[in-house]
Structure formats: C-alpha cells, structure tokens
Amino acid sequence: MELRPHENVIVTVRGGHASNPAYMPDTAEPRDIELMRRLATGDEGAFLEFYRRHQGSVYRYAVHMTGRPEAAADVMQETFLTLIRQAGKFDEEKGAPGAFLYGIARNHVRKLREKESRFVALGDETSDALAGNGAGVNHNGNGRYLAKPGETETVLDELERAEAIQRLRDAVLTLPEHYREPITLCDLEGKSYEEVSTLLACPVGTVRSRLNRARSILLEKLRPNRVGSKALGVRLGGKA
C-alpha cells in the first residue's frame, strides 16, 4: 500500500488552526475512538477515514521535523502502515488516538534521523517555499527568474519572503529534538500547550519551559539575519 500526502495539504509556517483546513484536534474525539476500534478489527473503511482526518497534520509535523518533503512523505507512509499493524495496541484509557498516532510518527522521525546519521550528509535541499512549481514566474534557464512588466516588486517580495521562511526552517532544524518538537507543534502547527503536553507525554510546565528556551535560541540565531515576525508571517508564541 502506498500512501501519499493529500493534494490539498499546504506546508506553512503560520500558527493557529483557523487558517489551516487540515487541522485536527488531538482530544479524544468520539469519532476517532470509534474508528480506532473498527480499525483494530481490520475495517479498511475505518482506516481510510482515519487517514483522511489525520494525514495532513502528520505530514506537516514530519516536514518541520525532517526539513524535507520527500522524507516527510516516507515518515507519513510508515506511520500509517505501522498504525494498521498496531491498531490493536491502542488503549483509549491511556490517551487519545491523535497522541497514539503522533507517538508512532515521532518514532519514525527518530529512526529516519538515526539511519541518515550513518551516511555522509548531503548538501542542503532547495526550498519549496515558493508557491507551486513556479507557475506565473518566467525562468530564463540559468537559475534566475524574470518578472513580467509591472511585477518586479511582487516577485522580489515573494523571493524575500521565501528566503526568510527558509532561514526559519533551517534554524528550527538545528534545534535539539526536545526543543524542535514543541516549537513545531505550538508555533508552527498552532496547537495548545495542553495538546502538545498530551502528544509528547510530558507536563504542561515542561512544554512551556522547552518552548521558551527554543524561542530564545531561534531568536538568537535569526537576529543577525534580521528575520522578523512580519517578514515571516509567523509569531513565535503558542496559544495558552
């Protein structure tokens, strides 16, 4: 079985679920629990519905944690294949289905990093921050983009924003995992402290302290480049 990110999933760095149609809460929704029960019996329809409800958030989490869309797609596929095999291990008394799913995703992210650490690191991947595949922008074949008459300022703004977003992503990837996860889930995914506490299986106070430390590190890394929240369209601050 091959699982691919839904075509409507857009990887952004905007916090808050109001602007994210694929956002799914991590509380124990009755529907999710029902689907997990059916999935444990081998119900394919239950799996497909659960997949559609959660694949977007898992994919975005993996993108922010790995920094590479193709690696995130692999993590997402392995996560849901593992879910099929381990659905019977879910215990609704111990947590929500979303937390169970994120636990699987976290393990696969770690496995990927351990695997890649055994090989010589390759060069940085090019950013996918520019929308689409370059439609609407002329390319001269030499790696440069040519603006149409009257569109120079718009193209420059897009390039500046793309560079700012890439710097933020690069900075996030340099954080240790225990800092990268809360900054990804709270500030880039817009989840609450309580939701992240459930997903990471740690107290809310720990989430807050790690998040504050992660923000301080990021601000220090980004300050020389003068990357501000206005340029990025993101506020480094989660919701309480």
Side-chain angles (χ1 to χ4, degrees):
M1 180 183 296
E2 184 177 9
L3 307 175
R4 293 297 178 190
H6 193 280
E7 60 182 359
N8 290 329
V9 173
I10 301 175
V11 180
T12 70
V13 291
R14 291 194 300 270
H17 61 269
S19 62
N20 186 354
Y23 171 85
M24 293 302 302
D26 298 302
T27 53
E29 292 188 357
R31 183 59 178 170
D32 278 346
I33 294 177
E34 177 188 349
L35 290 173
M36 285 297 295
R37 290 171 179 169
R38 289 167 50 193
L39 179 56
T41 67
D43 189 324
E44 183 177 346
F47 168 75
L48 291 175
E49 182 177 343
F50 192 85
Y51 171 76
R52 294 190 186 104
R53 288 166 68 86
H54 293 281
Q55 58 89 18
S57 57
V58 171
Y59 177 70
R60 288 191 305 276
Y61 165 78
V63 166
H64 291 309
M65 292 299 292
T66 66
R68 295 183 291 117
E70 66 276 15
D74 289 340
V75 168
M76 188 194 72
Q77 175 165 302
E78 291 301 322
T79 295
F80 282 97
L81 290 178
T82 300
L83 178 67
I84 293 174
R85 296 191 297 268
Q86 299 184 0
K89 295 182 179 181
F90 170 67
D91 184 350
E92 59 190 81
E93 298 297 328
K94 294 182 178 179
F100 183 75
L101 183 66
Y102 264 88
I104 297 174
R106 292 177 72 201
N107 286 337
H108 282 295
V109 167
R110 288 170 180 169
K111 288 179 181 179
L112 178 66
R113 285 215 307 275
E114 290 172 359
K115 178 181 178 181
E116 292 181 340
S117 67
R118 301 189 187 104
F119 299 94
V120 177
L122 299 177
D124 292 337
E125 300 279 342
T126 19
S127 171
D128 288 328
L130 288 176
N133 59 1
V137 180
N138 294 328
H139 194 285
N140 67 1
N142 294 315
R144 298 182 181 278
Y145 292 90
L146 301 178
K148 295 179 180 179
E151 295 182 353
T152 302
E153 183 175 349
T154 300
V155 173
L156 290 176
D157 288 343
E158 289 180 356
L159 288 173
E160 182 179 357
R161 178 176 172 79
E163 291 174 357
I165 290 174
Q166 187 59 43
R167 286 197 293 272
L168 175 62
R169 288 177 174 170
D170 290 343
V172 169
L173 289 173
T174 66
L175 294 173
E177 182 178 315
H178 60 284
Y179 291 146
R180 192 187 318 167
E181 286 186 323
I183 205 79
T184 293
L185 294 171
C186 285
D187 288 346
L188 303 183
E189 286 294 304
K191 298 183 186 300
S192 69
Y193 297 132
E194 289 75 17
E195 289 172 325
V196 176
S197 171
T198 299
L199 292 176
L200 301 184
C202 64
V204 171
T206 300
V207 173
R208 289 177 182 271
S209 62
R210 290 180 180 176
L211 188 59
N212 288 336
R213 178 56 180 157
R215 289 170 182 162
S216 297
I217 294 173
L218 282 181
L219 289 174
E220 186 63 29
K221 287 178 178 292
L222 296 174
R223 186 172 292 116
N225 292 320
R226 298 181 181 179
V227 179
S229 59
K230 291 184 179 180
L232 292 168
V234 61
R235 178 175 66 87
L236 291 178
K239 57 181 180 177

